[in-house]
Amino acid sequence: NAGVMQNPRHLVRRRGQEARLRCSPMKGHSHVYWYRQLPEEGLKFMVYLQKENIIDESGMPKERFSAEFPKEGPSILRIQQVVRGDSAAYFCASSPRGGGQPQHFGDGTRLSIL
Amino acid sequence: QKEVEQNSGPLSVPEGAIASLNCTYSDRVSQSFFWYRQYSGKSPELIMSIYSNGDKEDGRFTAQLNKASQYVSLLIRDSQPSDSATYLCAVPAMFGNEKLTFGTGTRLTIIP
């Protein structure tokens, strides 16, 4: 009974490179959320997706960041031309549907920018 | 701007005592409330959800909700050293878009 799967667990990139973070939701879950946790700060919402649809991207920077959740395969959070300030833990969470159902988190991807 | 506020702590509690964690929220229409536990360097783990006024108990944990006062709390009875972690209060935005707004968390240390 696999939980939310994220990979990679750790990702190191140099400034200007691209980072791709993957998330497979729990079985039966169709709602995916991405959150970012900067060092010594709280969790902040980035984007909410359902299959093939972005529902809310109000927390995601307008430039360099994009997210998708295709019909087949995992959700992808992409960060282009990374900068030092992108260094953070990125967590994916999933829920079976809306209506106030709790979200379950993956182990996260720790992104470090050199 | 919806807000969720918690006592930042750190909160130190002797082993075996009751730890009390508090959270207030600004959005009167919020219907669901969650407590997550996060160990250092780990991901948030759901420990309690509560939807209606009153108390909800699960093992050593009790969540208390008062919608009129916009207040939700978490009590941990018989505190154990393994309870030492940061506890996050989380509130969904609205029905149909359940993105979570988190409090900054309360760091709890259980002293043996």
Side-chain angles (χ1 to χ4, degrees):
Chain A
N1 193 13
V4 179
M5 304 299 291
Q6 288 188 251
N7 67 82
R9 293 289 300 277
H10 300 274
L11 183 60
V12 179
R13 285 288 177 266
R14 296 189 180 278
R15 281 178 296 172
Q17 291 184 321
E18 178 179 288
R20 281 192 176 220
L21 288 61
R22 295 175 184 79
C23 169
S24 296
M26 287 180 70
K27 187 176 181 180
H29 287 195
S30 59
H31 296 232
V32 167
Y33 307 80
W34 287 91
Y35 297 87
R36 178 166 66 175
Q37 189 169 38
L38 294 168
E40 302 303 319
E41 292 192 16
L43 277 158
K44 302 293 185 187
F45 165 79
M46 298 183 74
V47 60
Y48 165 31
L49 309 103
Q50 297 178 22
K51 281 288 186 182
E52 300 185 279
N53 286 304
I54 296 175
I55 307 302
D56 182 349
E57 56 184 348
S58 60
M60 199 159 63
K62 298 268 188 288
E63 297 182 356
R64 303 190 297 109
F65 286 72
S66 62
E68 62 177 6
F69 189 15
K71 187 177 180 180
E72 301 292 338
S75 175
I76 306 287
L77 179 66
R78 181 203 282 185
I79 312 172
Q80 296 178 296
Q81 298 176 310
V82 296
V83 301
R84 288 244 171 93
D86 296 332
S87 295
Y90 291 82
F91 292 101
C92 171
S94 72
S95 68
R97 61 184 186 277
Q101 294 298 307
Q103 296 172 24
H104 297 269
F105 282 77
D107 288 338
T109 293
R110 271 74 178 171
L111 177 63
S112 298
I113 309 302
L114 301 179
Chain B
Q1 177 76 18
K2 297 181 173 66
E3 291 187 355
V4 177
E5 296 189 2
Q6 298 182 245
N7 296 333
S8 59
L11 176 65
S12 296
V13 172
E15 183 175 357
I18 296 175
S20 178
L21 307 164
N22 304 317
C23 173
T24 58
Y25 58 94
S26 62
D27 188 358
R28 286 192 167 276
V29 302
S30 296
Q31 297 295 315
S32 310
F33 306 88
F34 306 110
W35 283 100
Y36 287 84
R37 178 176 63 198
Q38 187 175 27
Y39 293 112
S40 181
K42 301 296 184 181
S43 63
E45 174 191 7
L46 179 71
I47 54 172
M48 287 289 281
S49 56
I50 187 166
Y51 302 93
S52 54
N53 277 331
D55 295 1
K56 178 182 177 182
E57 187 174 316
D58 184 359
R60 295 186 297 111
F61 298 97
T62 299
Q64 299 175 318
L65 175 60
N66 183 326
K67 290 186 179 180
S69 300
Q70 296 175 240
Y71 174 90
V72 58
S73 65
L74 180 70
L75 301 177
I76 307 174
R77 291 183 301 282
D78 188 23
S79 297
Q80 304 296 310
S82 59
D83 295 327
S84 297
T86 296
Y87 288 80
L88 304 166
C89 176
V91 181
M94 65 178 73
F95 186 89
N97 181 352
E98 280 79 25
K99 62 182 179 183
L100 294 174
T101 298
F102 285 87
T104 52
T106 299
R107 186 171 296 181
L108 174 67
T109 300
I110 306 301
I111 304 169

